[in-house]
Amino acid sequence: MGVKMTKKKLSKIILFLIMALIALICLLPFYFMLIMSTQYTEDIYKGITFLPGRYLLDNLKTVMNAHFEVYYKNSLIVAASATALSLLVSTLCGFSFAMYDFKGSKFLFAFVLVTMMIPTQLGLVAFVVEMKTIGWMNTLLPLIVPPAATGFGVYWMKNFIGSNFPKELMDSARIDGASEPGILFSIAVPCIKPAIASLGLMNFVTNWNSFLVPLIVLNKSETYTVPIGIINLNSAYRNDLAAKITALSIGIIPLLILFLLTAKTFISGITMGAVKE
Amino acid sequence: MKYKKMKRLLSLAIMSVLTLSLLAGCGGDSGAKPETTEGNTEEVQEAQDSTDASDGGTGDAETITMWGWNAGDIEKIFAAYKEKTGANVELDYVTVQQEESFQKLQTTISAGLDLPDIVPSEVGQRGTMLSLDIWEDLSKDPYNFDTNWIFPYQIPLCSNERGELVALPWDVSSAALAYKRPLALEYLGTEDPDELSAMFPDWETFMEKGIEVKEASGGKIFMFASLTNVKQIMDGQNPQPIVKDGTLDMTSIRETLGWMIKFRDAGIVDNILETSTAYSASYADDLHIFYPCAGWSPTYVIQPNDPEGQGKWGLTVPPEGCFSWGGSAFMIPRDAKHKKAAYDFVSWLDSEEGTRSQRDVVGYNISNVEPYKDAEFAALYDDWFGDQNIGEMLFQTAMENIEVRPVSTYDATITEVWAMVTEAVNSDKSIDFESACNMFEEEMYTLAPELRK
Amino acid sequence: MPRIRSETKGGKGLKRKLKGRLIWPYLFILPFFIIYIAFNCYPLIYTFIISLNDWDGFSQPVSVGLANYKNIFTEDPYFLKSIGNTLFFMAFDIPIVIICGLILASVFNSRKLKGAGFFRTAVFLPYITIPVAIGVLFCLLFDWNSGTVNLILAKFGLIKEHINFLGVPRLARMIVIMMICWKYIGYHMIFFNAGISGISMELYEAADVDGASALVKFTRITIPLLKPIIEYLVIMNIIWGFQLFDEPKVLFSSWTSSSGGSGLMGGPLKSCLTAIWYIYDTSFGSQMRYGKGAAAAYGTFLFILLFSMAAFIVMKIIGRKSGED
């Protein structure tokens, strides 16, 4: 009995150590990133070290001289409004597919599923031409409106609402005289908060990190977002890697905060919405 | 029945999309649904022709838009320009990464966006950029740029294949060979630039000496840190066109690759690629002797990478003479909105006054020939090169025998293929001369099938 | 007449009310379809038109029929190579992210582990990192001459000569796979975590009573019950796999070059060239062949369809077989 107990304890400790090692591997690059943002570029070239340097302030100065606050503001606008719009579109559409049995709903939902299989990058060239035609170049709109329609968002919301929002609730609300949008916004939305939180976080991450489209549609420095700002960040004479990494660290912070704040809701949202078929 | 309704619904959706884009579209005359791609290019033209006052600037001052990777310095230069000439202009400087400037130009053109008034180009993609039929010919009316202002070698680097002068050079790009004095003294027996260039009349002798150095140091000391450097120098010395009359001519490639592989096999070049961080770090070590060095290298590359290297460096003429390396030039798009103001600024940069002023303000060496006739101006001292007059070598000695290869539409492709082959030859020692040449040739044909005849 | 079937049992008075309601489902889905058709469908269709032309983006397009398709399938070896590379990456990273994600999720859910919440967060964090950051980091870590990994290995005497991680095709691919796994294992773990917490505890307790080992519980309870999630993630991974671009692109860009040297398109000997990278480079990179790039986009789409269908069928067959057991 005693041997068994210590054996169990030992396996627990080993498990813990293995997991700690994995967590370390996952977190180490973040640590490196912070360390590098305190160093001088040419020192980084000699190899990554584990100890911080003394150049954090200089790097921050370079970043700020490059009007990083403008990029930051743009990124916040893009990520926040793209996420909000996308949540609205996905909730509306998902609610409709989950709650109503209307003509063509099967076909249209199948269409949504098919859209998930088509990478948007494939139409990139034509997309850029289109943006020009409607005068959206050098605005933040191409980063906000087009990403609002994601097949995944609709699929996610449909699944979640379908399995977490009882149809009976709808019927009784109707008898009480509620309108359809009324039911959606005042009764269904509160029920699906976790789904909104988890989808919202995933959307926010995607839109904040978006790289390819802004690289092409943004041409004026006052419209740059954080990732584009970072690659265009140069101090007077050189390709300042340390300053870029400092900017990257700053660029990741909002996501970190957002994730740490919503981690619980996020995970429970995914748990409740996980594919159940 | 069901199908009909579905159709109606879909057409309703499409209709509303079209109305939406019509509403959002500019004026609506362009039509939201171009039936052919042809229709679209016309729109591109239209949009560029129409003057749009989005960046009107303040007061009466014109605002010229310029791309580039010299933020910080350009503001100082521009302030000097305004002060000296009294021009009533403002500058909107958009930072563009050097390696992304070509791609940015392409997307801007194809998306029909407004091009800036001044577009920079780096030499690797120069020919491809110049061959686009979108630039003003600056030797013609109303510009009439006087080519006697600039060094003669720069004219082919700024002309397209139709012979039009469509770019103006910025910095002087003549280059020589920098070396670390302590290493040269220890392993080559001298740190004197003249003795060194006398020691290396040609690359053959250079290689023999390199092998001696390698043996004397037990394989620790290399002549170059990177095969990329060997390519840069030898390719720069070789004026033989790579694409001639629409066909690939491998002569110059074979010469350069031949040396690269000989050097690699002799073990006189380290295996560091220029894109690696280790390359930058190598400037400060005491293992690699030689580096190519153009006028811009001391401030851009040597000083930041070897912060404690004052007095450590020397500059000599490489075996078989000086060459041209890097350097920027500016183009003005035909559809730019402030062409005259842009030209005034860019040509001022190349004027005698501009060249002198930029030396004062930011320490750049610009391309007007006049100031360099003055021995005092042509003399250039740099703390990293001790009391050596590196200006004499770069601006006078080098100019005597510099020969450049005319630019070509295929420059961007050639640059890309070089990067791939250099990396392959560097990583895999089993690739011999013939297979490297074949790789280069095949890759060129893959990217540009029309070159195969 | 559209009709809401579930509502038809209501009385006659309800019918008029229902009519007004009928429009709502369509209104609700309208925003999605408008945006999708305007910004995704339309470019895709337009891309097809471009693919039939030889076009550099601004001069007159020349109609060339199917020549661009012929070119990418029979003349230019790199399109098929890019598809091959993409499949190679998928062949490794899909099993790894799914298996590791699954194992981590079940470990984090076992009561044996203290601090599971922390570990879960730590493992998920790579997913939210800006891709550029990962590219720069991996570049610095795996550099041939000055990379931290090489320095550490050499310091402990594990290697005599530095390993050229990013220069040898085989190793470069391995690094790309590592990047993908590092980034996406956490994402998969979260999904499996969700699935596992949906499994009733009683099942495990019953198995405990039968004296089942952890391994048996994992293979007999966890995996079968998570089958729908696994299937979903496999299909999605195939689709995501074909979209791979950011990670290899940033790994071989010249972020770390001090002299502004250009990056290496496709990695050493194009061993890390992915389908989207190929499209991107053909249309926006060293070449400006929009027609060819567009044709490659459709070619890629063809492969996506082919492989996700194949995966779907294979999984159905496996599903049926295991159902017969």
Side-chain angles (χ1 to χ4, degrees):
Chain A
M1 203 58 187
V3 178
K4 216 177 174 187
M5 277 304 281
T6 47
K7 221 180 166 185
K8 237 183 174 176
K9 233 179 206 166
L10 197 71
S11 74
K12 257 189 192 180
I13 291 170
I14 290 173
L15 189 69
F16 185 86
L17 286 179
I18 293 173
M19 288 304 126
L21 187 71
I22 290 174
L24 188 74
I25 292 171
C26 291
L27 295 178
L28 207 56
F30 291 95
Y31 176 75
F32 280 147
M33 210 146 78
L34 290 179
I35 290 297
M36 282 191 279
S37 55
T38 66
Q39 284 174 332
Y40 188 65
T41 299
E42 279 68 25
D43 288 335
I44 295 177
Y45 287 158
K46 291 172 193 152
I48 302 176
T49 50
F50 290 85
L51 295 173
R54 292 171 288 118
Y55 288 90
L56 179 62
L57 282 179
D58 294 289
N59 291 335
L60 280 175
K61 222 187 257 163
T62 314
V63 173
M64 284 308 147
N65 282 342
H67 303 292
F68 207 65
E69 70 281 358
V70 179
Y71 312 149
Y72 221 75
K73 191 194 77 198
N74 288 333
S75 263
L76 277 177
I77 294 174
V78 165
S81 31
T83 306
L85 189 63
S86 169
L87 283 177
L88 180 71
V89 169
S90 308
T91 311
L92 283 174
C93 195
F95 182 76
S96 181
F97 282 126
M99 288 291 123
Y100 302 93
D101 197 4
F102 53 95
K103 273 270 163 64
S105 69
K106 282 233 172 74
F107 171 80
L108 290 172
F109 187 64
F111 177 82
V112 171
L113 292 185
V114 170
T115 67
M116 286 167 72
M117 301 180 60
I118 309 173
T120 44
Q121 292 104 310
L122 297 186
L124 192 64
V125 176
F127 178 79
V128 172
V129 177
E130 183 189 15
M131 288 301 109
K132 179 254 146 188
T133 315
I134 60 175
W136 280 14
M137 273 293 183
N138 275 329
T139 68
L140 299 177
L141 287 171
L143 310 179
I144 295 173
V145 182
T150 63
F152 177 76
V154 174
Y155 173 71
W156 179 253
M157 282 300 179
K158 189 228 167 199
N159 261 353
F160 196 94
I161 296 171
S163 53
N164 290 292
F165 183 66
K167 270 195 174 156
E168 297 79 57
L169 254 175
M170 249 182 105
D171 294 335
S172 57
R174 277 187 192 134
I175 291 163
D176 294 343
S179 68
E180 303 298 301
I183 295 173
L184 169 58
F185 288 109
S186 55
I187 303 174
V189 165
C191 282
I192 56 166
K193 265 188 192 154
I196 293 179
S198 45
L199 184 63
L201 182 80
M202 284 189 273
N203 276 336
F204 195 91
V205 170
T206 316
N207 288 312
W208 182 273
N209 291 348
S210 163
F211 185 62
L212 189 54
V213 174
L215 189 65
I216 294 169
V217 300
L218 301 180
N219 247 342
K220 286 192 174 157
S221 47
E222 63 264 28
T223 58
Y224 284 173
T225 55
V226 170
I228 309 303
I230 290 167
I231 59 162
N232 285 316
L233 189 84
N234 257 1
S235 54
Y237 285 111
R238 56 212 182 98
N239 183 358
D240 199 336
L241 187 66
K244 281 183 189 174
I245 291 171
T246 312
L248 280 171
S249 309
I250 305 174
I252 292 173
I253 287 172
L255 295 182
L256 279 180
I257 296 174
L258 197 73
F259 179 69
L260 293 177
L261 285 179
T262 58
K264 264 205 176 133
T265 338
F266 174 72
I267 289 168
S268 77
I270 301 221
T271 309
M272 290 164 73
V275 206
K276 286 172 185 163
E277 261 168 54
Chain B
M1 269 288 275
K2 276 183 186 173
Y3 252 82
K4 256 186 190 164
K5 253 155 218 154
M6 192 87 73
K7 263 189 192 162
R8 208 182 297 159
L9 198 75
L10 269 175
S11 53
L12 190 85
I14 293 167
M15 282 292 286
S16 38
V17 170
L18 292 182
T19 345
L20 195 83
S21 32
L22 267 177
L23 284 174
C26 30
D29 59 340
S30 56
K33 189 185 156 195
E35 313 97 75
T36 59
T37 41
E38 224 173 276
N40 243 52
T41 28
E42 276 163 25
E43 286 162 39
V44 171
Q45 230 70 53
E46 262 169 45
Q48 283 171 347
D49 290 345
S50 68
T51 39
D52 137 28
S54 61
D55 46 11
T58 47
D60 296 320
E62 257 184 289
T63 300
I64 44 182
T65 313
M66 178 176 187
W67 287 356
W69 44 86
N70 297 77
D73 286 346
I74 200 79
E75 277 89 10
K76 290 179 202 153
I77 297 169
F78 196 74
Y81 166 64
K82 288 210 299 187
E83 193 195 305
K84 298 251 186 220
T85 62
N88 185 21
V89 284
E90 293 300 327
L91 182 71
D92 178 13
Y93 194 73
V94 181
T95 295
V96 175
Q97 280 297 89
Q98 201 171 331
E99 56 266 36
E100 255 134 40
S101 61
F102 178 48
Q103 186 227 314
K104 183 134 180 154
L105 178 73
Q106 292 178 46
T107 46
T108 308
I109 296 170
S110 59
L113 285 175
D114 294 334
L115 284 170
D117 302 304
I118 303 169
V119 180
S121 86
E122 189 259 339
V123 86
Q125 279 87 29
R126 179 84 50 79
T128 315
M129 284 168 97
L130 295 190
S131 68
L132 302 174
D133 188 20
I134 54 169
W135 312 112
E136 285 285 89
D137 184 346
L138 301 173
S139 63
K140 294 227 172 75
D141 263 349
Y143 310 107
N144 300 316
F145 183 80
D146 181 358
T147 46
N148 290 324
W149 279 15
I150 53 177
F151 289 100
Y153 87 89
Q154 292 176 317
I155 296 169
L157 293 180
C158 290
S159 310
N160 62 17
E161 285 162 329
R162 291 178 292 280
E164 300 161 339
L165 184 82
V166 284
L168 296 187
W170 195 21
D171 44 347
V172 177
S173 59
S174 53
L177 198 59
Y179 60 94
K180 293 174 187 157
R181 283 176 182 271
L183 282 182
L185 188 60
E186 189 178 345
Y187 292 98
L188 300 169
T190 176
E191 57 168 325
D192 181 73
D194 297 329
E195 285 179 30
L196 278 173
S197 61
M199 188 185 290
F200 304 127
D202 52 40
W203 289 111
E204 197 64 54
T205 354
F206 185 87
M207 187 168 82
E208 282 158 21
K209 209 71 194 163
I211 296 171
E212 282 171 30
V213 170
K214 181 188 123 189
E215 279 159 5
S217 65
K220 256 179 63 200
I221 307 294
F222 296 95
M223 297 298 259
F224 288 109
S226 173
L227 276 180
T228 324
N229 289 156
V230 180
K231 183 254 156 187
Q232 281 155 345
I233 300 171
M234 299 207 184
D235 193 49
Q237 288 174 331
N238 200 330
Q240 186 105 14
I242 294 169
V243 174
K244 208 161 60 185
D245 307 324
T247 42
L248 182 65
D249 181 349
M250 287 289 289
T251 320
S252 90
I253 304 287
R254 292 180 75 90
E255 282 169 20
T256 308
L257 261 178
W259 282 116
M260 285 165 72
I261 285 169
K262 272 190 213 163
F263 282 11
R264 181 199 68 184
D265 294 342
I268 65 165
V269 179
D270 203 353
N271 61 13
I272 305 171
L273 274 184
E274 202 207 12
T275 42
S276 151
T277 53
Y279 177 75
S280 307
S282 77
Y283 279 88
D285 67 24
D286 46 9
L287 302 172
H288 308 95
I289 309 177
F290 293 105
Y291 293 84
C293 174
W296 44 269
S297 303
T299 30
Y300 267 98
V301 187
I302 296 178
Q303 291 176 14
N305 284 316
D306 187 18
E308 276 130 45
Q310 289 93 335
K312 190 176 113 182
W313 293 82
L315 190 69
T316 184
V317 177
E320 296 168 25
C322 289
F323 55 102
S324 169
W325 182 32
S328 312
F330 298 113
M331 288 88 75
I332 298 175
R334 212 176 284 143
D335 296 323
K337 287 172 199 143
H338 311 285
K339 286 189 277 196
K340 191 72 184 74
Y343 175 76
D344 288 345
F345 176 52
V346 174
S347 60
W348 178 82
L349 294 175
D350 277 336
S351 69
E352 187 176 351
E353 182 185 65
T355 297
R356 283 183 184 280
S357 154
Q358 286 168 86
R359 171 72 73 78
D360 292 342
V361 180
V362 286
Y364 285 9
N365 304 304
I366 308 302
S367 300
N368 192 289
V369 287
E370 289 305 320
Y372 297 98
K373 291 177 179 160
D374 164 5
E376 198 189 324
F377 186 88
L380 185 66
Y381 294 95
D382 186 292
D383 284 347
W384 269 250
F385 289 84
D387 53 9
Q388 190 185 356
N389 180 355
I390 58 172
E392 192 189 345
M393 186 173 301
L394 290 174
F395 308 131
Q396 287 166 344
T397 321
M399 293 305 167
E400 286 158 19
N401 58 5
I402 216 165
E403 273 187 283
V404 297
R405 174 184 299 128
V407 298
S408 134
T409 319
Y410 294 96
D411 279 357
T413 312
I414 294 167
T415 305
E416 193 188 317
V417 176
W418 260 124
M420 180 187 139
V421 175
T422 309
E423 154 90 36
V425 166
N426 187 52
S427 303
D428 186 351
K429 292 214 163 42
S430 70
I431 297 177
D432 62 8
F433 173 61
E434 278 308 324
S435 47
C437 291
N438 282 341
M439 185 190 282
F440 198 104
E441 205 170 349
E442 281 311 311
E443 186 66 13
M444 281 301 293
Y445 289 143
T446 303
L447 296 177
E450 65 275 17
L451 291 180
R452 202 194 282 271
K453 280 274 157 79
Chain C
M1 230 343 92
R3 191 179 293 158
I4 297 178
R5 263 169 262 151
S6 63
E7 300 290 332
T8 40
K9 39 185 174 228
K12 271 190 178 175
L14 264 173
K15 248 195 174 164
R16 251 187 45 221
K17 244 187 179 172
L18 278 177
K19 261 191 186 169
R21 207 181 282 154
L22 296 176
I23 191 78
W24 285 111
Y26 294 108
L27 282 182
F28 286 158
I29 62 168
L30 202 58
F32 174 84
F33 283 90
I34 289 181
I35 295 175
Y36 190 82
I37 289 168
F39 298 116
N40 283 324
C41 282
Y42 170 74
L44 276 173
I45 295 163
Y46 190 28
T47 300
F48 182 70
I49 297 172
I50 295 177
S51 78
L52 301 176
N53 287 280
D54 188 9
W55 190 34
D56 59 6
F58 60 97
S59 60
Q60 287 292 327
V62 181
S63 178
V64 292
L66 295 174
N68 285 321
Y69 290 93
K70 193 178 152 233
N71 180 290
I72 57 167
F73 280 107
T74 60
E75 287 153 23
D76 185 346
Y78 290 129
F79 173 67
L80 290 176
K81 178 158 187 157
S82 76
I83 296 283
N85 288 337
T86 314
L87 290 171
F88 181 88
F89 289 138
M90 279 195 263
F92 285 88
D93 66 49
I94 297 181
I96 295 177
V97 292
I98 287 186
I99 292 170
C100 292
L102 192 54
I103 292 175
L104 284 178
S106 40
V107 170
F108 293 161
N109 268 292
S110 90
R111 273 163 294 175
K112 274 190 195 160
L113 188 70
K114 281 214 174 89
F118 166 76
F119 290 132
R120 216 175 273 147
T121 312
V123 172
F124 187 74
L125 279 185
Y127 175 70
I128 65 172
T129 319
I130 299 179
V132 180
I134 306 178
V136 173
L137 269 168
F138 275 71
C139 245
L140 292 168
L141 286 172
F142 290 100
D143 190 274
W144 189 6
N145 308 96
S146 63
T148 313
V149 173
N150 266 322
L151 295 181
I152 291 176
L153 288 178
K155 202 172 178 184
F156 288 106
L158 293 169
I159 47 170
K160 277 212 189 83
E161 274 187 5
H162 282 194
I163 302 169
N164 189 2
F165 287 110
L166 300 176
V168 176
R170 201 163 29 91
L171 295 174
R173 283 190 181 141
M174 197 189 80
I175 301 293
V176 171
I177 292 169
M178 262 178 63
M179 283 170 83
I180 301 168
C181 294
W182 181 73
K183 184 171 178 187
Y184 290 102
I185 285 177
Y187 182 81
H188 288 77
M189 178 274 296
I190 290 281
F191 273 88
F192 287 124
N193 180 63
I196 290 174
S197 37
I199 299 173
S200 154
M201 245 18 227
E202 286 161 27
L203 277 175
Y204 290 107
E205 276 155 17
D208 279 338
V209 173
D210 292 347
S213 72
L215 187 69
V216 170
K217 281 189 282 180
F218 183 67
T219 51
R220 290 283 152 145
I221 304 177
T222 315
I223 291 183
L225 284 170
L226 291 183
K227 221 180 68 202
I229 302 188
I230 298 177
E231 284 176 358
Y232 166 80
L233 285 174
V234 167
I235 299 271
M236 287 318 287
N237 261 298
I238 290 174
I239 297 159
W240 291 329
F242 274 106
Q243 300 183 42
L244 185 65
F245 170 73
D246 286 4
E247 283 82 7
K249 170 87 166 86
V250 292
L251 186 63
F252 297 103
S253 287
S254 51
W255 313 110
T256 52
S257 158
S258 60
S259 45
S262 60
L264 200 59
M265 207 285 278
L269 298 180
K270 308 267 195 292
S271 58
C272 299
L273 181 68
T274 66
I276 298 286
W277 198 352
Y278 178 86
I279 297 169
Y280 176 83
D281 187 70
T282 318
S283 9
F284 302 113
S286 60
Q287 317 175 55
M288 283 169 88
R289 302 185 181 199
Y290 283 3
K292 192 174 155 187
Y298 270 85
T300 307
F301 185 47
L302 197 77
F303 281 100
I304 294 181
L305 279 186
L306 210 71
F307 280 91
S308 41
M309 292 286 252
F312 193 73
I313 292 166
V314 166
M315 281 188 307
K316 274 276 158 316
I317 291 169
I318 293 174
R320 207 170 295 150
K321 269 199 184 143
S322 64
E324 280 162 8
D325 284 349

